[in-house]
Amino acid sequence: MNKNVIITIKNICITVLIYLLQFVVFPFLLPDCYPNNNESTLIMFVTFFVGFILGFCLITKKIRYWIVPDIFYCLMVLLYSGKGLYGVGMRGISLDGASPYYDFSFALIWAAMAFVMILLIQLIIVFLLWLKTKILKKQ
């Protein structure tokens, strides 16, 4: 099998693990934090950072190997978002008796924004790892 394919498959495994933690494990273990509040948002970002730092340190630091797994993550979110976990696909606000409802077009928008957000997080991690190596070389 091609080396690039193996690296991409490993990255997809990391991304699937992040997804399972965010949409299956943590909502089950911490039901008071879900479907959408500040704690759940913090959990989402922490799992992204920890998962991607592990992936970048253990597998590869090249962003090009993470594009397909990032798209795969967004597709998994579109398939199952746990009744609006993290606000995925929710339209409207909770105000004066009104309540938000799920709309697939909003889920598509959320997935597109999540893809951009994930890439930005990955770029930040790559920059920090690059900075770390530059600082360690000077010492």
Side-chain angles (χ1 to χ4, degrees):
M1 205 185 251
N2 187 353
K3 176 187 162 198
N4 295 338
V5 174
I6 292 172
I7 291 172
T8 303
I9 290 171
K10 288 179 182 179
N11 291 346
I12 287 174
C13 290
I14 295 283
T15 306
V16 168
L17 180 64
I18 291 170
Y19 171 81
L20 289 174
L21 286 171
Q22 290 177 340
F23 286 91
V24 179
V25 174
F26 289 134
F28 177 75
L29 294 177
L30 306 167
D32 294 339
C33 295
Y34 292 90
N36 188 18
N37 65 19
N38 293 337
E39 289 83 10
S40 67
T41 304
L42 177 67
I43 290 169
M44 181 178 71
F45 281 106
V46 168
T47 53
F48 275 140
F49 273 103
V50 171
F52 291 135
I53 287 172
L54 287 175
F56 277 90
C57 290
L58 299 176
I59 300 170
T60 183
K61 291 180 179 78
K62 297 180 181 174
I63 291 286
R64 71 174 184 249
Y65 292 112
W66 289 94
I67 301 294
V68 171
D70 295 346
I71 293 170
F72 192 73
Y73 173 85
C74 293
L75 290 175
M76 287 188 298
V77 169
L78 288 175
L79 290 175
Y80 174 73
S81 59
K83 299 178 184 174
L85 293 175
Y86 307 105
V88 176
M90 300 307 285
R91 180 178 186 167
I93 58 173
S94 296
L95 185 65
D96 294 335
S99 61
Y101 60 95
Y102 182 83
D103 184 351
F104 187 73
S105 62
F106 275 67
L108 288 172
I109 293 168
W110 191 96
M113 291 186 331
F115 179 75
V116 172
M117 178 192 65
I118 291 168
L119 281 177
L120 287 173
I121 289 171
Q122 291 170 341
L123 287 170
I124 290 168
I125 292 169
V126 167
F127 175 74
L128 291 174
L129 291 173
W130 173 82
L131 194 62
K132 178 186 141 205
T133 58
K134 289 293 182 187
I135 291 171
L136 290 177
K137 279 186 180 180
K138 286 186 178 183
Q139 292 179 349

